[in-house]
Amino acid sequence: MSDHPLGYKLFGDKFSTPEMRAIFSEASYIQSLLDVEAALAAVQERLGLIPAGAGATIAAAARVERMDLDAIAADSRNCAHYLVAVVRALEQASGGEAGQYVHYGTTTQDIIDTGTVLLLRRALGPMARDLGRVEAALAGLAERHKATPMAGRTHAVHALPITFGLKVAVWLAEVARHCERLEQLKARLLVGNITGAVGTFAGFGSQGFAVQAETLRVLGLGVPEVCWHAARDRFAEFVTWEALTASTLAKIANEVRSLMKTEVGELEEPVPPGAVGSTTMPQKRNPNLCEDTLALAKILRGHAHAMLEAVEVEHERDAGAWRMEFVVLPESCLLLSAVLRNAARILEGLVVREDRMARNLGLTGGLIMAEAVMFALGTHIGKQRAHDVVYACAMAAQQGGRPFAEVLVADRTVGQHLTGDEIARLLDPQAHLGLAVQAVEQVLKGRRA
C-alpha cells in the first residue's frame, strides 16, 4: 500500500489520476534517469570519448526492469546518495570495462534535471488534453446558453441581468489564455542540461558543447544557452502556470458550488447514481467535485510559493533549494491532473436550470432593472437627477416591501415622464441584456479562429 495519501486505495483517484501516477512512479523516475545516462553514453561513444561498444552496452543495460530496486534503495541508504546507487546499479548491469564509463564526465544534477524534464514532457500530454476538454465543454455551454438570462451579481448580490453564456464566456477566455501560456512555456521548460559539475563541460574536454547538444537531441529536448543548475526559473514558471490554471478552475468550481446552493438552485454539478453525500443525512447531494477542486487548488498555490523559494539558489548549486523540487514538481502534476479531470467532469455534465435562473431574476420584484429605469428617466431630467429619483424609489420599495413598479408609478417625477406601460417594459430583464449575446459570440469566434 502507498505511504502517501495521493496513492491511498481508500481515496481512490480523488487527489490524482492513475495516468499521472504512472508517469511519476518510482520505476518511471529511475527509468528517466537511466534514459539520460544511456543517451549520454551512446553519444560519447560516437564522439570517441569512451571506448567503442561501451555506449551501446550501457544503453542496452539501462532498463529499470533489469535493476533490483530494493538493492538500489539499500545502497542509497549506505552511501547517502541516491544517484550514486543508480549509477552503481547501471555499472553492474553494464558489466566489465563498459561499466567504468557510466556517468562519464557528467554530474548528478545534469542527470536529475534532464530526467525530470523527460517526466514533465510526458505529463504535459495529459494536461493539455484535459485542459482541452475543459475548454471544449466551456465553449459548448457558452454557445447553448448565450441568450439564457440570469441575474448578474456583484459583491454577492443582484446587480443587472446577464446571460449564463456570458458568465461562461469569461471562463472560456481565461482558460484559453492558460492554453496559450502552456504552449509558450514548453520551449523554455523542455530543455535539458549536460554541462558537468559547475557548468564548464570540463569533464568532456573540448567536445563539451557537442556532447550536450547531441545527447539532448537524442532525448528530444532543447539545448540551453548556458548551464541552469542554479537557474530554476524554468520549473518555477511551470509550477506557477499549474497553480494559476488550477486557480481559474477552482474559481469556476466555486461559482458552480455557489449557484448550487439550495436557495439558488441555478446549477448543479453532475451527481452520479449511488453517490452518497452524508453518513447521516440521506437527502444530501453535495458539490463534491467542486470542493475537491477548491482544496487541491489551494495546495497548488502553496506549491507555487515553494517553487519560487527554490529559485533562490546560492553559488553554482544548492541542494537546500533544489531538493524541494523533488516533492513539489511531481506533486503539483499529480494534483493538477485531478483538478483538470474534476473540471472536465463538472462542465461536461453540468446541470443548468433555466427556470431557476428566471425565477431568481424576479426575486427583487424588478429592482434588478433599476439602471434601465434610470437611463430612460435620465433622457428627460438628466442622468444624475434620475439616479437620485430612482434610488429613492428603490429604497422605498425595499424598505416598505412594495413592488418596485408600484413605487415608480406612484412617484410624481417618474409619472411625469414615464407611463405605466413604459415602466413595465423597462422592468423586463430581456430588454436590458445589452450586447451580452454578441460578446459571447465574439469569444467563440476567437476560439474557432
Side-chain angles (χ1 to χ4, degrees):
M1 297 182 68
S2 172
D3 57 2
H4 192 295
L6 286 176
Y8 280 10
K9 293 181 180 179
L10 175 67
F11 294 145
D13 300 329
K14 184 175 284 289
F15 304 126
S16 60
T17 63
E19 182 179 29
M20 198 64 76
R21 290 198 299 274
I23 291 172
F24 289 97
S25 70
E26 185 171 14
S28 177
Y29 175 71
I30 292 174
Q31 185 60 62
S32 75
L33 306 182
L34 295 173
D35 289 343
V36 180
E37 296 283 9
L40 174 63
V43 166
Q44 288 176 317
E45 179 184 327
R46 287 202 300 272
L47 295 175
L49 290 175
I50 64 176
T57 300
I58 293 168
R63 301 302 308 167
V64 69
E65 58 268 20
R66 296 187 59 181
M67 306 292 167
D68 183 339
L69 298 188
D70 289 334
I72 290 175
D75 192 20
S76 176
R77 287 191 292 271
N78 290 334
C79 68
H81 198 297
Y82 42 91
L83 192 64
V84 166
V86 174
V87 169
R88 285 175 176 172
L90 180 55
E91 175 188 344
Q92 184 177 359
S94 300
E97 183 182 7
Q100 299 304 306
Y101 294 96
V102 170
H103 197 72
Y104 189 78
T106 188
T107 191
T108 296
Q109 193 162 357
D110 284 347
I111 307 302
I112 298 292
D113 284 352
T114 305
T116 297
V117 173
L118 292 178
L119 294 179
L120 295 180
R121 182 175 64 188
R122 290 175 57 195
L124 291 183
M127 288 180 185
R129 180 200 64 213
D130 290 346
L131 191 57
R133 281 180 61 193
V134 170
E135 187 185 23
L138 288 170
L141 285 168
E143 178 65 49
R144 289 192 297 276
H145 295 285
K146 61 185 176 184
T148 302
M150 68 179 297
R153 297 167 172 91
T154 59
H155 308 285
V157 298
H158 282 201
L160 289 173
I162 62 169
T163 70
F164 180 54
L166 180 62
K167 181 187 289 286
V168 175
V170 173
W171 301 340
L172 174 59
E174 192 169 345
V175 167
R177 290 192 291 275
H178 294 318
C179 293
E180 183 179 358
R181 291 182 181 106
L182 178 58
E183 287 303 311
Q184 292 170 343
L185 69 80
K186 284 180 181 178
R188 294 184 289 274
L189 176 66
L190 300 181
V191 175
N193 194 91
I194 306 291
T195 57
V198 289
T200 63
F201 303 97
F204 306 129
S206 62
Q207 298 196 74
F209 289 128
V211 169
Q212 174 170 253
E214 282 300 298
T215 301
L216 297 182
R217 182 188 62 78
V218 170
L219 294 170
L221 299 177
V223 179
E225 64 273 45
V226 71
C227 173
W228 54 277
H229 291 163
R232 314 312 289 175
D233 60 293
R234 300 176 193 276
F235 291 163
E237 179 185 17
F238 174 60
V239 178
T240 301
W241 172 83
E242 290 182 301
L244 187 59
T245 300
S247 295
T248 290
L249 300 180
K251 177 189 72 174
I252 295 171
N254 189 58
E255 187 77 357
V256 171
R257 181 179 70 158
S258 179
L259 296 178
M260 188 174 166
K261 291 176 182 176
T262 306
E263 297 84 353
V264 180
E266 295 177 358
L267 300 176
E268 185 177 39
E269 74 167 45
V271 180
V276 176
S278 168
T279 60
T280 188
M281 295 173 284
Q283 85 283 4
K284 293 299 293 297
R285 289 169 66 88
N286 292 339
N288 290 322
L289 288 172
C290 291
E291 293 183 332
D292 287 349
T293 300
L294 291 168
L296 298 179
K298 289 176 171 62
I299 301 171
L300 271 163
R301 288 193 288 274
H303 279 18
H305 173 77
M307 192 58 239
L308 290 171
E309 290 289 332
V311 172
E312 192 174 298
V313 176
E314 186 172 342
H315 303 313
E316 280 61 58
R317 193 182 314 175
D318 179 1
W322 177 43
R323 287 178 187 160
M324 294 169 61
E325 300 171 9
F326 292 23
V327 174
V328 169
L329 286 169
E331 275 199 2
S332 65
C333 293
L334 291 166
L335 295 170
L336 184 62
S337 72
V339 169
L340 289 166
R341 180 208 56 214
N342 290 353
R345 288 179 178 174
I346 291 167
L347 295 168
E348 289 170 351
L350 189 66
V351 178
V352 180
R353 296 202 171 94
E354 297 182 30
D355 59 330
R356 294 295 290 265
M357 291 179 176
R359 187 205 70 172
N360 291 339
L361 265 174
L363 282 179
T364 61
L367 284 168
I368 197 169
M369 298 303 298
E371 182 188 75
V373 177
M374 178 194 70
F375 281 129
L377 183 61
T379 62
H380 301 284
I381 66 174
K383 187 265 181 183
Q384 301 305 331
R385 186 180 172 206
H387 185 284
D388 293 340
V389 172
V390 176
Y391 171 83
C393 291
M395 294 304 105
Q398 291 183 78
Q399 293 164 6
R402 298 166 59 195
F404 190 37
E406 177 185 305
V407 176
L408 289 170
V409 169
D411 184 84
R412 184 169 60 182
T413 302
V414 175
Q416 288 176 352
H417 302 286
L418 301 176
T419 68
D421 287 344
E422 288 174 320
I423 290 171
R425 285 194 297 272
L426 290 168
L427 295 184
D428 178 7
Q430 288 277 15
H432 200 59
L433 290 174
L435 300 177
V437 173
Q438 293 90 327
V440 175
E441 290 172 343
Q442 185 168 273
V443 172
L444 292 171
K445 181 180 179 181
R447 177 180 180 268
R448 287 190 292 267

